[in-house]
Amino acid sequence: MNDSFRRVQKVFLWSLGMRKDDQRQTTSDWYTDTECLVARSRLHRRRRCLAVTPLLFPIMLIIGSIFLAWWDIDCHLLGKTLSTSAIVENMSYLLFYWPLLVLSPTICIIVFVKSTCHRRTQIETSWPAVTWIDAFTNHEVVSHNDIGGARISQWCTLIGYYILLLMSGTLEALDKKYLPMECHTWSATLFIFCNIAELFFFCNFCYFLYLKRKSLERYCGRSVTFIQLNIQHQERCCSMAHDFFRRYFALRKFLFTWLNVVLFCTAFGFAFFLTWALEYSQIDPIPTHSPYETSLDFDDGLFCSKACKRAYVEGNYNAFVFLAKVLAQKTMMALLALHVVRGLDLKYQWNQFKMNVYMATSSAEDKRSWKQLSDLLERIRPDTYNDVLVSITIPLLGLIIGFISGRNAM
């Protein structure tokens, strides 16, 4: 069971571009000098060939993201006279939804490159500062010693993520089904496939971050137990507290920025399209066509023909399904991001660590060591006074901007 779970974990990490090399084994114990050199040469060639394979899937997704943007521009913005509402709607896709699709594979590629360069230069560098890259390289995402309940909880979380993905993917395919026959081309099918693949990668990336948070929570419990058993050894306790702080601060530093970006973009998209739908529902109670007033002069594009562009503006698609698809995608992204962080901030984890340490060591006989440890925890605490306010303000700002844009997209 554990072996199969490890294989699943390796495949999962490989799909994110984060699989690490296995522990290297020396060959000098069972080979002669000549055979050892040959074996090492083969091993090095194999590692060089396999080193870049984790990058294949993220790179393919970035290429797919470029195709998504190109298809949207070609079919909706090029080769025809556009109204202001058409420009605002498509720019909202390109500025506030498409970046979220390309963000996850880009982060994975950056982490892979940075961690690889760090392994090559770590002997020459001094003790590094805490960066967000450390959140992806500090510790395992899955503990092989998890009890059955924890393992079941992790699988149920992944299933829940995929259920939301299935709903969004179904609406994406249903939306393209209502397109006119002139738009049922290979490029439209490829658009659906790339969009669902991007959402699938986003779900996997969120699940990876969720496992990172759970791993930090487990390490919090182990750190408190270690400090409780070694309160007389001041250096060990301080070292453990410093190590937990580094892991916590690295993960929080990344999740804080990532969560605010996701919430701002989803809040904007949610408010924009919902306001847009309410505005047009006053004109047409069942908006089943595009309300844009455009010229009937069209040019053939790379992915869309004249007939397809004409069918778009003449209203042969279901706007209700389109709206449901957009809102489902925004809701899925926002819910997954909030679940990953377990709220708006990861500050609770540091507060929980301090409280558990205080309660576990308050009855220690060595009061001097306890006092020094308490002073250390108060001294190294992160500056997070304004972070909660920022986490609330940014989504509200996205809602306000989306509401104003939706009302003006007429």
Side-chain angles (χ1 to χ4, degrees):
M1 181 66 179
N2 287 334
D3 292 338
S4 61
F5 193 79
R6 290 189 183 96
R7 286 193 292 269
V8 171
Q9 180 187 358
K10 288 181 179 180
V11 173
F12 180 75
L13 293 178
W14 180 89
S15 68
L16 295 174
M18 296 181 185
R19 179 180 175 181
K20 297 181 180 180
D21 295 334
D22 297 331
Q23 296 295 330
R24 297 189 177 184
Q25 296 179 348
T26 178
T27 58
S28 59
D29 295 337
W30 59 84
Y31 284 129
T32 64
D33 293 340
T34 304
E35 292 174 334
C36 180
L37 291 176
V38 174
R40 285 181 177 176
S41 177
R42 292 176 179 174
L43 180 61
H44 291 165
R45 286 198 300 268
R46 180 187 176 188
R47 288 184 180 278
R48 283 194 296 268
C49 294
L50 296 179
V52 296
T53 55
L55 291 177
L56 295 180
F57 193 44
I59 290 176
M60 290 175 59
L61 288 175
I62 290 182
I63 296 175
S65 300
I66 296 174
F67 167 76
L68 292 178
W70 196 353
W71 189 92
D72 184 78
I73 293 174
D74 182 66
C75 294
H76 297 111
L77 296 179
L78 297 181
K80 58 186 178 183
T81 304
L82 297 170
S83 65
T84 304
S85 56
I87 296 175
V88 173
E89 178 189 348
N90 287 278
M91 291 307 295
S92 67
Y93 170 85
L94 295 174
L95 296 179
F96 298 100
Y97 177 71
W98 182 81
L100 292 182
L101 298 180
V102 76
L103 180 62
S104 300
T106 302
I107 290 174
C108 293
I109 292 176
I110 293 175
V111 169
F112 182 89
V113 174
K114 293 283 289 185
S115 60
T116 302
C117 295
H118 174 72
R119 286 197 296 268
R120 292 179 178 178
T121 60
Q122 61 184 352
I123 299 178
E124 303 174 1
T125 58
S126 58
W127 184 258
V130 179
T131 63
W132 65 272
I133 298 293
D134 298 330
F136 296 87
T137 58
N138 266 340
H139 50 287
E140 291 184 349
V141 296
V142 178
S143 174
H144 301 304
N145 297 322
D146 285 344
I147 58 177
R151 190 70 59 79
I152 293 175
S153 175
Q154 294 172 3
W155 282 110
C156 290
T157 300
L158 182 61
I159 293 174
Y161 284 12
Y162 285 163
I163 289 176
L164 294 176
L165 171 65
L166 180 62
M167 294 172 58
S168 298
T170 302
L171 289 174
E172 177 70 32
L174 189 62
D175 178 54
K176 294 299 182 288
K177 177 183 177 182
Y178 282 98
L179 291 177
M181 293 302 299
E182 295 85 352
C183 297
H184 288 183
T185 60
W186 67 268
S187 61
T189 304
L190 184 60
F191 180 89
I192 298 175
F193 176 79
C194 290
N195 204 353
I196 295 177
E198 297 285 351
L199 292 176
F200 173 76
F201 191 87
F202 181 83
C203 285
N204 285 346
F205 186 74
C206 289
Y207 184 68
F208 173 80
L209 295 178
Y210 161 77
L211 293 179
K212 283 289 186 181
R213 175 174 66 82
K214 299 298 290 185
S215 177
L216 182 67
E217 293 176 357
R218 290 192 298 269
Y219 190 73
C220 174
R222 295 197 300 268
S223 301
V224 172
T225 302
F226 179 87
I227 292 175
Q228 183 180 11
L229 297 177
N230 297 272
I231 189 62
Q232 295 84 5
H233 304 281
Q234 185 64 24
E235 293 184 359
R236 296 181 182 177
C237 295
C238 292
S239 177
M240 179 61 70
H242 272 292
D243 186 59
F244 176 79
F245 175 78
R246 288 181 61 85
R247 298 188 180 196
Y248 155 77
F249 188 69
L251 184 60
R252 184 187 176 277
K253 191 173 185 179
F254 171 79
L255 288 181
F256 179 76
T257 304
W258 175 78
L259 176 66
N260 284 300
V261 171
V262 173
L263 289 184
F264 177 81
C265 294
T266 54
F268 174 88
F270 194 93
F272 174 83
F273 284 101
L274 189 60
T275 306
W276 172 82
L278 293 176
E279 288 293 328
Y280 284 117
S281 66
Q282 299 175 4
I283 303 174
D284 186 359
I286 305 178
T288 58
H289 63 278
S290 173
Y292 306 141
E293 295 180 359
T294 62
S295 172
L296 296 180
D297 295 329
F298 304 101
D299 297 328
D300 284 324
L302 181 62
F303 300 115
C304 289
S305 61
K306 291 181 181 180
C308 182
K309 292 182 179 182
R310 183 184 300 274
Y312 265 118
V313 299
E314 289 181 350
N316 292 325
Y317 75 93
N318 194 310
F320 176 78
V321 176
F322 169 76
L323 178 64
K325 176 200 71 172
V326 172
L327 297 184
Q329 292 172 350
K330 306 296 183 184
T331 303
M332 182 196 76
M333 289 183 168
L335 289 179
L336 294 188
L338 290 173
H339 182 262
V340 164
V341 185
R342 196 180 171 185
L344 293 176
D345 195 0
L346 201 63
K347 181 182 178 181
Y348 76 93
Q349 188 61 65
W350 178 250
N351 294 333
Q352 182 180 356
F353 174 74
K354 290 197 305 182
M355 183 180 297
N356 291 340
V357 169
Y358 291 155
M359 295 180 62
T361 60
S362 59
S363 60
E365 298 179 357
D366 192 349
K367 298 298 181 181
R368 183 171 176 270
S369 298
W370 180 84
K371 182 65 168 60
Q372 291 178 352
L373 181 61
S374 301
D375 294 340
L376 174 66
L377 295 179
E378 292 298 329
R379 188 168 62 253
I380 65 175
R381 66 180 179 180
D383 185 13
T384 59
Y385 295 106
N386 298 324
D387 290 351
V388 176
L389 181 61
V390 172
S391 298
I392 297 175
T393 303
I394 288 181
L396 289 178
L397 185 62
L399 288 173
I400 294 172
I401 296 176
F403 176 76
I404 295 175
S405 302
R407 286 185 61 88
N408 294 329
M410 298 293 293

